[in-house]
Amino acid sequence: MAGTVIGEGLTIEGELTGDDEVVVHGTVRGTLTTTDALSVGSGGVVEADLTASSVTIAGQVTGNVAAQERVDIQAGGRLVGDVKSARFTIADGASFKGSVDMDV
Amino acid sequence: MAAASIIGQGTSVRGNLRGAGSIEIRGRVEGDVQVDGDVAIGEDGAVNGNVNGAQILVAGQVAGDLTGSEAVMLERGARVVGDLIAPRIGIAEGARVRGSVRTEGEPTAPRRAAVVPTRRGGEAFGVAKPKPAMPAPPKPAAPAPAPAKAAAPAPVAAPIAAADPPAGPPAPVVPALGKGVKGKKKAKR
Protein backbone atom coordinates (compact mmCIF):
# COMPACT_ATOMS: atom_id res chain seq x y z
CA MET A 1 0.00 0.00 0.00
CA ALA A 2 1.42 3.24 -1.06
CA GLY A 3 2.01 5.82 1.60
CA THR A 4 0.31 8.59 -0.26
CA VAL A 5 -2.51 8.17 -2.73
CA ILE A 6 -4.06 11.02 -4.64
CA GLY A 7 -7.35 9.41 -5.50
CA GLU A 8 -9.37 9.82 -8.62
CA GLY A 9 -11.33 13.03 -8.44
CA LEU A 10 -8.98 14.77 -6.05
CA THR A 11 -7.00 17.80 -7.13
CA ILE A 12 -3.96 19.17 -5.38
CA GLU A 13 -2.71 22.58 -6.31
CA GLY A 14 0.57 23.37 -4.68
CA GLU A 15 3.59 21.60 -3.44
CA LEU A 16 3.68 17.99 -2.35
CA THR A 17 6.86 16.80 -0.66
CA GLY A 18 7.74 13.79 1.40
CA ASP A 19 9.45 10.46 1.77
CA ASP A 20 6.46 8.22 1.07
CA GLU A 21 5.70 6.28 -2.02
CA VAL A 22 3.25 8.37 -4.01
CA VAL A 23 0.55 7.20 -6.40
CA VAL A 24 -1.41 9.74 -8.40
CA HIS A 25 -4.79 8.78 -9.83
CA GLY A 26 -6.12 12.32 -9.57
CA THR A 27 -4.70 15.67 -10.53
CA VAL A 28 -1.62 17.47 -9.21
CA ARG A 29 -0.55 20.93 -10.22
CA GLY A 30 2.61 22.45 -8.83
CA THR A 31 5.57 20.40 -7.76
CA LEU A 32 5.80 16.84 -6.53
CA THR A 33 8.88 15.63 -4.70
CA THR A 34 9.46 12.39 -2.87
CA THR A 35 12.48 10.33 -1.93
CA ASP A 36 10.55 7.15 -2.68
CA ALA A 37 8.89 5.86 -5.82
CA LEU A 38 6.28 7.83 -7.70
CA SER A 39 3.73 6.49 -10.12
CA VAL A 40 1.09 8.25 -12.15
CA GLY A 41 -1.87 5.97 -12.84
CA SER A 42 -3.63 5.79 -16.17
CA GLY A 43 -6.20 8.32 -15.03
CA GLY A 44 -3.69 10.58 -13.37
CA VAL A 45 -2.97 14.07 -14.63
CA VAL A 46 0.14 15.85 -13.44
CA GLU A 47 1.15 19.34 -14.38
CA ALA A 48 4.18 19.56 -12.20
CA ASP A 49 7.88 18.99 -11.99
CA LEU A 50 8.50 15.55 -10.56
CA THR A 51 11.40 14.41 -8.45
CA ALA A 52 11.56 10.89 -7.05
CA SER A 53 13.75 7.82 -6.77
CA SER A 54 11.87 6.23 -9.63
CA VAL A 55 8.99 7.46 -11.75
CA THR A 56 6.42 5.34 -13.58
CA ILE A 57 4.03 7.12 -15.89
CA ALA A 58 0.84 5.57 -17.20
CA GLY A 59 -1.14 8.80 -17.27
CA GLN A 60 -0.45 12.29 -18.47
CA VAL A 61 2.46 14.33 -17.23
CA THR A 62 3.45 17.80 -18.23
CA GLY A 63 6.64 18.87 -16.55
CA ASN A 64 10.23 17.93 -16.04
CA VAL A 65 11.01 14.59 -14.49
CA ALA A 66 14.12 13.83 -12.45
CA ALA A 67 14.70 10.41 -10.96
CA GLN A 68 17.67 8.96 -9.13
CA GLU A 69 17.08 5.47 -10.44
CA ARG A 70 14.78 5.27 -13.41
CA VAL A 71 11.92 6.69 -15.40
CA ASP A 72 9.43 4.47 -17.24
CA ILE A 73 6.68 5.61 -19.53
CA GLN A 74 4.19 2.82 -19.94
CA ALA A 75 1.90 2.16 -22.88
CA GLY A 76 -0.76 4.83 -22.89
CA GLY A 77 1.39 7.13 -20.83
CA ARG A 78 2.19 10.60 -22.04
CA LEU A 79 5.03 12.85 -21.00
CA VAL A 80 5.79 16.34 -22.19
CA GLY A 81 8.95 17.53 -20.50
CA ASP A 82 12.57 16.77 -19.98
CA VAL A 83 13.82 13.63 -18.33
CA LYS A 84 16.92 13.40 -16.19
CA SER A 85 17.65 9.88 -15.05
CA ALA A 86 20.26 7.17 -15.44
CA ARG A 87 17.69 4.78 -16.87
CA PHE A 88 14.79 5.66 -19.07
CA THR A 89 12.35 3.47 -20.96
CA ILE A 90 9.49 4.33 -23.27
CA ALA A 91 7.03 1.52 -23.88
CA ASP A 92 5.44 0.88 -27.23
CA GLY A 93 2.29 2.99 -27.29
CA ALA A 94 3.61 5.71 -25.03
CA SER A 95 4.12 9.25 -26.18
CA PHE A 96 6.94 11.53 -25.20
CA LYS A 97 8.09 14.96 -26.14
CA GLY A 98 11.18 16.38 -24.54
CA SER A 99 14.85 15.82 -24.09
CA VAL A 100 16.67 13.14 -22.17
CA ASP A 101 19.69 13.50 -19.96
CA MET A 102 21.14 10.16 -18.89
CA ASP A 103 24.20 11.72 -17.37
CA VAL A 104 26.63 10.27 -19.91
CA MET B 1 -17.95 6.51 -5.26
CA ALA B 2 -14.69 8.17 -6.10
CA ALA B 3 -11.56 6.58 -4.82
CA ALA B 4 -10.12 7.35 -1.44
CA SER B 5 -7.02 9.44 -1.15
CA ILE B 6 -4.32 9.22 1.46
CA ILE B 7 -1.76 11.76 2.45
CA GLY B 8 0.89 9.53 3.98
CA GLN B 9 2.66 10.12 7.20
CA GLY B 10 5.87 11.26 5.55
CA THR B 11 4.16 13.56 3.09
CA SER B 12 3.42 17.23 3.36
CA VAL B 13 1.31 19.27 1.03
CA ARG B 14 1.47 23.00 0.71
CA GLY B 15 -1.57 24.02 -1.24
CA ASN B 16 -5.20 23.17 -1.54
CA LEU B 17 -6.81 19.78 -1.86
CA ARG B 18 -10.24 19.56 -3.32
CA GLY B 19 -12.42 17.21 -5.25
CA ALA B 20 -14.47 14.08 -4.92
CA GLY B 21 -14.11 11.09 -2.68
CA SER B 22 -12.83 10.60 0.80
CA ILE B 23 -9.44 11.49 2.11
CA GLU B 24 -7.33 10.36 5.00
CA ILE B 25 -4.59 12.66 6.19
CA ARG B 26 -1.73 11.15 8.14
CA GLY B 27 0.81 13.73 7.09
CA ARG B 28 0.77 17.49 6.98
CA VAL B 29 -1.38 19.78 4.91
CA GLU B 30 -0.82 23.51 4.75
CA GLY B 31 -3.90 24.65 2.92
CA ASP B 32 -7.59 24.02 2.63
CA VAL B 33 -9.15 20.62 2.22
CA GLN B 34 -12.47 20.49 0.41
CA VAL B 35 -13.98 17.17 -0.59
CA ASP B 36 -17.51 15.84 -0.94
CA GLY B 37 -16.63 12.63 0.87
CA ASP B 38 -15.38 12.03 4.36
CA VAL B 39 -12.21 13.41 5.87
CA ALA B 40 -10.17 11.58 8.47
CA ILE B 41 -7.24 13.26 10.12
CA GLY B 42 -5.09 10.66 11.84
CA GLU B 43 -3.41 11.18 15.16
CA ASP B 44 -0.17 12.10 13.42
CA GLY B 45 -1.97 14.22 10.85
CA ALA B 46 -1.92 18.00 10.91
CA VAL B 47 -3.90 20.46 8.87
CA ASN B 48 -3.30 24.16 8.80
CA GLY B 49 -6.33 25.36 6.93
CA ASN B 50 -10.07 24.93 6.68
CA VAL B 51 -11.55 21.50 6.22
CA ASN B 52 -14.83 20.82 4.43
CA GLY B 53 -16.34 17.40 4.02
CA ALA B 54 -19.30 15.17 4.75
CA GLN B 55 -18.12 13.53 7.95
CA ILE B 56 -14.94 14.84 9.46
CA LEU B 57 -13.09 12.73 11.99
CA VAL B 58 -10.18 14.31 13.76
CA ALA B 59 -7.61 12.56 15.93
CA GLY B 60 -4.75 14.89 15.04
CA GLN B 61 -4.24 18.61 14.89
CA VAL B 62 -6.17 21.20 12.99
CA ALA B 63 -5.73 24.95 12.86
CA GLY B 64 -8.75 26.06 10.91
CA ASP B 65 -12.49 25.66 10.72
CA LEU B 66 -14.09 22.25 10.39
CA THR B 67 -17.31 22.24 8.39
CA GLY B 68 -19.09 18.93 7.99
CA SER B 69 -22.24 18.57 5.95
CA GLU B 70 -23.04 15.51 8.07
CA ALA B 71 -20.86 15.46 11.16
CA VAL B 72 -17.70 16.57 12.88
CA MET B 73 -16.22 14.14 15.38
CA LEU B 74 -13.21 14.94 17.52
CA GLU B 75 -11.51 12.00 19.06
CA ARG B 76 -9.25 11.59 22.01
CA GLY B 77 -6.01 13.42 21.36
CA ALA B 78 -7.48 15.78 18.79
CA ARG B 79 -6.38 19.38 19.00
CA VAL B 80 -8.43 21.92 17.13
CA VAL B 81 -8.09 25.67 17.01
CA GLY B 82 -11.04 26.81 14.95
CA ASP B 83 -14.77 26.56 14.67
CA LEU B 84 -16.79 23.39 14.40
CA ILE B 85 -19.85 23.53 12.18
CA ALA B 86 -22.02 20.52 11.41
CA PRO B 87 -25.48 19.08 12.07
CA ARG B 88 -23.90 16.58 14.42
CA ILE B 89 -20.85 17.34 16.48
CA GLY B 90 -19.06 15.03 18.85
CA ILE B 91 -16.17 15.88 21.10
CA ALA B 92 -14.65 12.96 22.92
CA GLU B 93 -12.97 13.14 26.27
CA GLY B 94 -9.36 14.03 25.77
CA ALA B 95 -9.95 16.21 22.74
CA ARG B 96 -8.96 19.85 22.99
CA VAL B 97 -10.77 22.60 21.21
CA ARG B 98 -10.54 26.34 21.04
CA GLY B 99 -13.24 27.87 18.91
CA SER B 100 -16.96 28.15 18.59
CA VAL B 101 -19.26 25.22 17.98
CA ARG B 102 -22.41 25.42 15.91
CA THR B 103 -24.74 22.57 15.25
CA GLU B 104 -26.67 23.73 12.26
CA GLY B 105 -28.37 22.17 9.30
CA GLU B 106 -30.64 19.16 9.22
CA PRO B 107 -29.14 16.40 11.27
CA THR B 108 -29.10 13.21 9.34
CA ALA B 109 -31.52 10.71 10.75
CA PRO B 110 -30.00 8.18 13.11
CA ARG B 111 -30.64 5.31 10.74
CA ARG B 112 -28.88 7.19 8.04
CA ALA B 113 -25.99 7.75 10.36
CA ALA B 114 -25.86 4.07 11.03
CA VAL B 115 -25.37 3.49 7.35
CA VAL B 116 -22.65 6.00 6.75
CA PRO B 117 -19.87 4.55 8.85
CA THR B 118 -20.55 1.13 7.44
CA ARG B 119 -19.93 2.45 4.00
CA ARG B 120 -16.84 4.21 5.18
CA GLY B 121 -15.47 1.21 6.96
CA GLY B 122 -16.11 -0.82 3.89
CA GLU B 123 -14.18 1.26 1.48
CA ALA B 124 -12.64 4.55 2.26
CA PHE B 125 -11.02 4.56 5.64
CA GLY B 126 -10.96 0.85 6.00
CA VAL B 127 -8.57 0.51 3.11
CA ALA B 128 -5.34 0.86 4.99
CA LYS B 129 -5.63 1.38 8.61
CA PRO B 130 -2.85 -0.27 10.52
CA LYS B 131 -3.19 2.26 13.27
CA PRO B 132 -5.96 2.47 15.77
CA ALA B 133 -6.12 6.13 14.92
CA MET B 134 -9.68 6.16 13.67
CA PRO B 135 -12.50 4.01 14.84
CA ALA B 136 -13.09 2.92 11.33
CA PRO B 137 -15.65 0.25 10.75
CA PRO B 138 -18.08 -0.25 13.59
CA LYS B 139 -20.84 2.24 13.78
CA PRO B 140 -20.88 3.27 17.44
CA ALA B 141 -19.01 6.44 16.78
CA ALA B 142 -18.21 6.63 20.47
CA PRO B 143 -14.54 7.34 19.79
CA ALA B 144 -12.21 6.68 22.62
CA PRO B 145 -14.08 4.66 25.17
CA ALA B 146 -14.74 7.82 27.03
CA PRO B 147 -16.47 7.72 30.36
CA ALA B 148 -19.88 6.22 30.59
CA LYS B 149 -21.61 9.32 29.32
CA ALA B 150 -20.22 9.26 25.81
CA ALA B 151 -20.09 5.52 25.50
CA ALA B 152 -23.50 4.66 26.78
CA PRO B 153 -25.76 5.93 24.02
CA ALA B 154 -24.23 3.75 21.39
CA PRO B 155 -26.95 4.08 18.78
CA VAL B 156 -26.64 7.84 18.75
CA ALA B 157 -23.71 9.18 16.82
CA ALA B 158 -23.24 12.43 18.68
CA PRO B 159 -22.02 11.66 22.14
CA ILE B 160 -22.59 15.20 23.24
CA ALA B 161 -26.22 15.40 22.40
CA ALA B 162 -26.82 12.05 23.96
CA ALA B 163 -25.05 12.94 27.14
CA ASP B 164 -27.38 15.78 27.93
CA PRO B 165 -30.44 13.98 29.26
CA PRO B 166 -29.19 11.79 32.09
CA ALA B 167 -31.48 9.10 33.38
CA GLY B 168 -33.89 10.03 36.12
CA PRO B 169 -35.17 13.38 37.24
CA PRO B 170 -32.71 16.24 37.39
CA ALA B 171 -31.39 17.24 40.75
CA PRO B 172 -33.35 20.10 42.29
CA VAL B 173 -31.71 23.40 41.59
CA VAL B 174 -32.74 25.01 44.84
CA PRO B 175 -32.74 22.90 47.96
CA ALA B 176 -36.13 22.73 49.50
CA LEU B 177 -36.28 24.44 52.84
CA GLY B 178 -38.32 23.33 55.73
CA LYS B 179 -41.01 25.57 57.02
CA GLY B 180 -39.12 26.52 60.09
CA VAL B 181 -35.94 27.34 58.28
CA LYS B 182 -37.63 29.54 55.76
CA GLY B 183 -39.51 31.40 58.39
CA LYS B 184 -36.41 32.08 60.39
CA LYS B 185 -34.59 33.42 57.38
CA LYS B 186 -37.34 35.84 56.53
CA ALA B 187 -37.56 36.91 60.06
CA LYS B 188 -33.88 37.73 60.12
CA ARG B 189 -34.22 39.96 57.11
Side-chain angles (χ1 to χ4, degrees), chain A residues 41-66:
Chain A
S42 56
V45 177
V46 175
E47 296 171 15
D49 291 340
L50 307 180
T51 307
S53 66
S54 67
V55 178
T56 305
I57 298 171
Q60 297 188 30
V61 176
T62 306
N64 299 329
V65 178

Side-chain angles (χ1 to χ4, degrees), chain A residues 1-22 29, chain B residues 2-20 23 35 127-128:
Chain A
M1 189 69 198
T4 294
V5 179
I6 310 304
E8 187 185 346
L10 191 77
T11 301
I12 293 184
E13 291 184 1
E15 193 177 304
L16 193 154
T17 57
D19 51 18
D20 287 325
E21 184 186 347
V22 178
R29 294 194 187 91
Chain B
S5 301
I6 301 171
I7 304 299
Q9 202 171 343
T11 298
S12 66
V13 176
R14 191 176 301 158
N16 298 332
L17 288 76
R18 56 189 170 74
I23 185 166
V35 296
V127 169

Side-chain angles (χ1 to χ4, degrees), chain A residues 69-91:
Chain A
E69 292 167 20
R70 59 185 302 128
V71 174
D72 299 295
I73 309 180
Q74 298 180 340
R78 186 168 177 273
L79 170 61
V80 178
D82 298 342
V83 173
K84 183 170 169 51
S85 175
R87 293 180 174 190
F88 179 40
T89 65
I90 303 175

Side-chain angles (χ1 to χ4, degrees), chain B residues 112-169:
Chain B
R112 168 108 202 271
V115 170
V116 171
T118 312
R119 159 173 65 76
R120 187 206 299 130
E123 57 151 26
F125 299 150
V127 169
K129 187 167 307 291
K131 294 185 163 191
M134 305 270 137
K139 188 302 77 181
K149 274 184 183 176
V156 186
I160 273 193
D164 282 337

Side-chain angles (χ1 to χ4, degrees), chain B residues 161-177:
Chain B
D164 282 337
V173 178
V174 180
L177 297 173

Side-chain angles (χ1 to χ4, degrees), chain B residues 87-150:
Chain B
R88 293 187 288 124
I89 292 179
I91 302 176
E93 165 134 348
R96 285 182 278 176
V97 184
R98 194 165 79 214
S100 71
V101 177
R102 292 209 305 272
T103 50
E104 61 182 28
E106 256 327 272
T108 48
R111 46 190 142 67
R112 168 108 202 271
V115 170
V116 171
T118 312
R119 159 173 65 76
R120 187 206 299 130
E123 57 151 26
F125 299 150
V127 169
K129 187 167 307 291
K131 294 185 163 191
M134 305 270 137
K139 188 302 77 181
K149 274 184 183 176

